[in-house]
Every structure is written in C-alpha cells, then in structure tokens.
Amino acid sequence: MPHYDYDLFVIGGGSGGVRAARVSAALGKRVAVAEEYRYGGTCVIRGCVPKKLFVYASQFPEHFADAAGYGWTVPESKFDWSRLVANKDREIARLSGLYQSGVESSGGEAFHSRATLVDAHTVRIEAEGRHVTAEHILIATGGRPNPHAALPGHEHCIFSNEAFDLPDLPRSIVIAGGGYIAVEFANIFHGLGVDTTLVYRGMEILQRFDMDLRHRLHEEMAAKGIRIRCHTILEEIEKRQDGRLAAVITGGDVLITDQILLAIGRIPNTEELGLAAAGVATGVRGEILVDAYSRTNIDNIWAIGDVTDRVQLTPVAIHEAMCFVETAFKDNPTQPDHDCIATAVFSQPEIGTVGLSEDEAGKRFNNVEIYSASFRPMRHTLSGRQERMLTKLVVDGDSRRVVGAHVLGPDAGEMAQLLGISLKAGLTKDDFDRTMAVHPTAAEELVTMYKPTYLVKDGVRVA
Ligand code: NDP
C-alpha cells in the first residue's frame, strides 16, 4: 500500500471544498486544502453573501417610502456607497476567516496557494514550490463569469465580481443577461438610485422559471423604473472621451452609460490545473466530467460544485461534498440528488420556486391543475404600494401530487425552503388542503387555494 502525505487534498476553498475538507478531517482523515484567493469562494467572497447584503441595502428607499402609511416621518435619507462596501468587506473577512479556521479546527491544513495536479496522486503547491501526495484529490475550483470575448469592447465591461467593489456608485448602468445575476443586480442598482437598463436576448427574463413569475416580475421591475429590453443584445461597446461607455444594441440604438455589467453565465475554472497531466477528462465547456458519485474518469480524483457545471448553486456544491465524504470515506456510496431543488431569485419582489413550471408540467402530465392567487400583501395595505404578490401551485391531476410551487413577493425565498420539503416528500394537494393556515400571513394562500384556477390538458390550457 503506497504511503501518501494526505488522505485527501482539496483544490479550492469555497463552499464545496471547505465542507468536504472539514467533514473528512473531523473523521480523522489527513486533509489539506489549497485556496489561491480567499477562503469562502464565490458564494462568500463575491456571490450570494455580499449580494444579499447589497439587496438589503437597496431595499431601504422603499422601506422609507412605505413608512409614511404607518405614521412615520422619515427624515431625508442619504446613501454612502463606500460605507456599504467597507461594512460588507468587514463581514466577508469575518466569514472568510471562519471558513479557514473551520478546516483547521477540524484537524485539516489550509494552504494559501494555487495548487495544480502533477499526476493522479501528486499536487504541486505553487506558492511553496513543493509537491505533496494524496490518496484522494477533490477538485472544487468553482467557476468565473463568462467574459463574452466575442463582444467587441468587452474589455470595458465589468462582471459581478467587480460590481461589489466599484470605487464609486455609477449614475447609470446597463446590464446584459436575463438570469439570476442580471436580474438581481438590476434591482440592487436601481434600488440604490442608479439609472438601470437590462438587455436580454430572449423573449422574457429568467428562462426556466414559471412564465407567470417571469411576466409579473418583469412588470413590477418596469413599474419601478428599470428599463428592460428583451430580444436585444449588446453588439459593440466603445469607451468615449468623457470616460462613459457607448453600447450599440440590436437595431442600432446606442445606450450611453457609466458602467456595463455582463452577466451571461459562468464558466468552470479548469485552465492550468494540470488536468491533462493527471489524465482528467473535461467536457465541451471545460467542465470536469464526473459520474453520479462525483468521481472523474481517474479513480481517485473527484470533482464537485460549479467546476462540474451540473447545477451552479452553493447548497448543491455542499450537498455534493457531503455525498463525496460518504462515498470516499464512509463506505456508503451516495449519489447527490439533483431533483427538485428549491431556489430563490433575490429580485425585488423576490422569487421563490421549487419543482416544475406550468409549461414543464404540461409536457410531462396529461392532466395538470393550476392553483394561483394574486393579491396585495397586507404590508402594502397601509403603505399604499401597489405591488402584488403571486402564489401558484402546479398539481398533477392524476396522482394529486404538487409538482411545482412558485411564489413572487416578500419573503418568497424563505417560503421556497419550506415548500421544498413538501415537494421533496411528494405531498399531494390534499395534504396542502388539510394543513391549517397560519394567519395572517402571505404564505397562508398556499394552503387555501381550494379550487383549481384552470386546468392544462395534454399541454393545452382549458377553462
Ligand atoms: P444564468 O445562467 O442564470 O443566466 C445567464 C443569462 O445570460 C441568461 O439569461 C442567458 O440567456 C444569457 N446569455 C448567455 N449567453 C449569452 C450571450 N452570448 N449573449 C447574451 N446573453 C447571453 O447565469 P448568471 O450569470 O445569471 O448566474 C450564474 C449562475 O450563478 C446561475 O446559473 C445560478 O445558478 C447562480 N446564481 C444563483 C443565485 C441564486 O441562487 N439566487 C444568484 C446568482 C447566481 P438565455 O436565457 O437566453 O440562455
């Protein structure tokens, strides 16, 4: 039996890598992690966490406006971008420290270095210029924004990474894309007072979500003042003499703006990792190919998270890490379960969703029942805000199973977490019906929609 320096060497100290390292080390395994940037990865350093903090920051103007209906007089408000960035940085530094200390306090070793594969069992720690060996190697290097190299002038644009640390808040911004990042940042910047335009190539933002949510969110964002241009792409960007940017879009219109943010998807971080040296196979997008257990074509090398380009979500990477530990170290082969993943878009209003959209359900089931309610949430009665909430259940009429649940409105993400349990458990509409409502809440609508709003038979909506 060959002797290795470590039982496990993890490349990448993000959510997935750190979880795998921490749990394996706690089992008594000899574990090391290498992270070239900051512990915490995309989610903590320049993704979910700072994004949510910025969402909170951007919501205050609406809270101030809504306060009047509740009897409050709010003095003139003023926003300080650099204070927000500095406070965010402090919180991120705290969390990053916790990620690293979590590895170390479990008995693992944390390197601040890029690490590359030399062969199937050897890793080079670049910062120290030395090689170490490991029985198992786990690649969890995540992804990065698609640079959109085909766009002339793309070098003048920023990505979500830079958006968190801009020296100044721009007066105007154009955002390209219609996915999570584009939509979330459009709302953040608009909420902070930035003149915001979203440019999306498709017919409606947030492809893959339920169409009612997509339309309604589009309407609400437009009503707030965000310009959304669908069926439109950026064709060319030019930097003007005054430092501003000119973006030529479909049809020849030119948008003059301070910043352009590209949010057109993320690509796996697999370059110069030594994958070829170790014989690890990659796919067309550069993603590491893995089997159902997250094992690559090389028996002792595994990969989890965004680098595998399965489902690019933090909780998925963490789940894959836990399954990896079961499989590699607990003699309990466990496949990550990617079915029925609840998710939230932190737009304003927020989206919380799990399961099938109406369109997807219509393709899979012959008899679909749709239950939906659109109403003004109680908090907006006194505030006077016109924003409406949407709740929608998609039910397979034959089995009675609820196969999709969709919410647009305040706290929709929190609701999606709990709806996720119900749908994962395969609960039926009858289970929802006999669940007592929690009153007065917005979520009670989810258990009080007794009659179908309409039916979808063989994919076609009927009365
Ligand atoms: P998404 O995959 O969500 O969206 C990418 C968007 O860019 C789509 O609207 C796509 O259009 C568009 N697009 C792709 N290529 C081009 C192109 N060449 N020209 C113009 N438009 C293009 O990616 P994001 O970058 O928004 O986010 C990356 C990942 O991060 C997501 O997959 C998500 O899983 C994760 N994330 C999750 C969050 C959350 O959980 N709240 C928040 C932020 C990110 P089309 O629809 O036509 O394909």
Side-chain angles (χ1 to χ4, degrees):
M1 179 89 180
H3 174 79
Y4 299 108
D5 299 323
Y6 298 101
D7 298 314
L8 173 65
F9 196 101
V10 181
I11 306 180
S15 301
V18 163
R19 175 63 67 96
R22 206 160 50 71
V23 177
S24 304
L27 290 174
K29 301 294 171 192
R30 295 166 306 144
V31 176
V33 194
E35 166 57 52
E36 65 177 333
Y37 183 51
R38 295 172 71 188
Y39 276 85
T42 300
C43 170
V44 171
I45 308 297
R46 45 198 178 188
C48 324
V49 173
K51 180 274 307 290
K52 189 89 186 268
L53 296 174
F54 278 24
V55 169
Y56 288 135
S58 67
Q59 288 172 333
F60 281 95
E62 287 196 355
H63 294 329
F64 296 150
D66 291 353
Y70 286 91
W72 290 93
T73 302
V74 179
E76 197 189 335
S77 58
K78 199 162 162 276
F79 175 65
D80 183 341
W81 168 255
S82 49
R83 182 139 42 104
L84 171 66
V85 173
N87 289 348
K88 176 267 297 177
D89 285 344
R90 196 160 357 97
E91 174 59 6
I92 297 314
R94 184 184 74 83
L95 290 173
S96 180
L98 285 178
Y99 267 66
Q100 180 174 340
S101 62
V103 172
E104 291 164 341
S105 62
S106 306
E109 209 173 330
F111 291 102
H112 277 280
S113 172
R114 183 168 177 79
T116 50
L117 295 169
V118 177
D119 61 40
H121 286 284
T122 310
V123 174
R124 179 179 161 84
I125 301 172
E126 300 288 344
E128 302 185 8
R130 67 183 174 102
H131 293 183
V132 296
T133 57
E135 184 177 1
H136 294 278
I137 294 171
L138 178 67
I139 304 171
T141 48
R144 64 181 186 283
N146 178 345
H148 204 349
L151 172 69
H154 66 277
E155 66 276 11
H156 302 305
C157 302
I158 59 166
F159 302 94
S160 50
N161 292 351
E162 292 78 27
F164 290 116
D165 294 299
L166 291 172
D168 300 298
L169 184 65
R171 275 166 301 144
S172 59
I173 193 162
V174 169
I175 300 177
Y180 284 86
I181 295 180
V183 167
E184 290 180 341
F185 269 103
N187 284 279
I188 289 170
F189 280 115
H190 171 78
L192 295 177
V194 179
D195 181 87
T196 303
T197 306
L198 187 72
V199 172
Y200 173 50
R201 68 178 177 182
M203 64 90 171
E204 184 57 286
I205 55 172
L206 291 175
Q207 210 205 131
R208 297 193 297 271
F209 285 76
D210 187 87
M211 194 53 96
D212 284 342
L213 295 187
R214 299 168 66 189
H215 285 324
R216 183 65 72 78
L217 178 63
H218 183 147
E219 283 167 17
E220 297 289 3
M221 286 171 62
K224 288 176 198 283
I226 300 171
R227 281 183 293 280
I228 302 180
R229 306 199 50 162
C230 292
H231 290 303
T232 304
I233 58 165
L234 301 181
E235 293 188 337
E236 190 179 353
I237 316 287
E238 234 179 62
K239 188 148 190 159
R240 306 190 332 162
Q241 299 231 309
D242 61 3
R244 303 190 81 202
L245 300 172
V248 181
I249 60 170
T250 307
D253 280 2
V254 180
L255 307 177
I256 308 295
T257 184
D258 291 341
Q259 291 284 2
I260 298 176
L261 190 163
L262 300 180
I264 60 161
R266 295 175 59 85
I267 54 178
N269 279 331
T270 45
E271 285 91 356
E272 290 167 31
L273 261 184
L275 295 178
V280 176
T282 52
V284 284
R285 294 176 307 281
E287 78 280 14
I288 295 182
L289 300 173
V290 289
D291 68 10
Y293 297 92
S294 303
R295 194 192 291 264
T296 70
N297 58 314
I298 305 297
D299 240 20
N300 69 303
I301 302 184
W302 312 68
I304 55 168
D306 287 3
V307 76
T308 64
D309 203 16
R310 286 176 282 183
V311 182
Q312 297 178 353
L313 293 171
T314 299
V316 173
I318 293 172
H319 174 73
E320 289 167 358
M322 297 302 281
C323 294
F324 156 75
V325 174
E326 291 292 323
T327 306
F329 293 130
K330 293 172 85 175
D331 201 18
N332 176 29
T334 306
Q335 299 184 1
D337 176 0
H338 294 114
D339 187 40
C340 201
I341 298 169
T343 179
V345 183
F346 294 99
S347 46
Q348 299 171 40
E350 199 167 296
I351 281 180
T353 184
V354 56
L356 303 179
S357 67
E358 177 181 327
D359 290 345
E360 288 167 331
K363 288 180 197 142
R364 283 203 213 173
F365 304 106
N366 296 331
N367 295 303
V368 175
E369 296 173 5
I370 303 295
Y371 300 78
S372 76
S374 171
F375 55 97
R376 201 170 173 198
M378 192 174 184
R379 70 158 72 174
H380 291 332
T381 52
L382 295 198
S383 75
R385 188 167 293 284
Q386 293 305 314
E387 214 164 277
R388 293 178 74 75
M389 191 147 182
L390 180 72
T391 53
K392 179 169 176 180
L393 294 180
V394 181
V395 175
D396 168 23
D398 294 332
S399 69
R400 304 289 299 140
R401 266 187 56 211
V402 179
V403 294
H406 312 285
V407 181
L408 176 79
D411 304 321
E414 305 287 341
M415 292 181 210
Q417 182 63 83
L418 304 178
L419 286 165
I421 302 170
S422 312
L423 267 70
K424 198 81 189 157
L427 297 189
T428 63
K429 182 63 172 61
D430 308 314
D431 295 316
F432 276 62
D433 288 349
R434 59 194 177 78
T435 300
M436 205 72 82
V438 179
H439 184 72
T441 64
E444 69 183 295
E445 290 296 327
L446 291 161
V447 294
T448 54
M449 297 186 288
Y450 299 113
K451 289 228 162 346
T453 312
Y454 54 90
L455 307 175
V456 178
K457 288 209 176 292
D458 300 322
V460 180
R461 179 177 168 163
V462 293

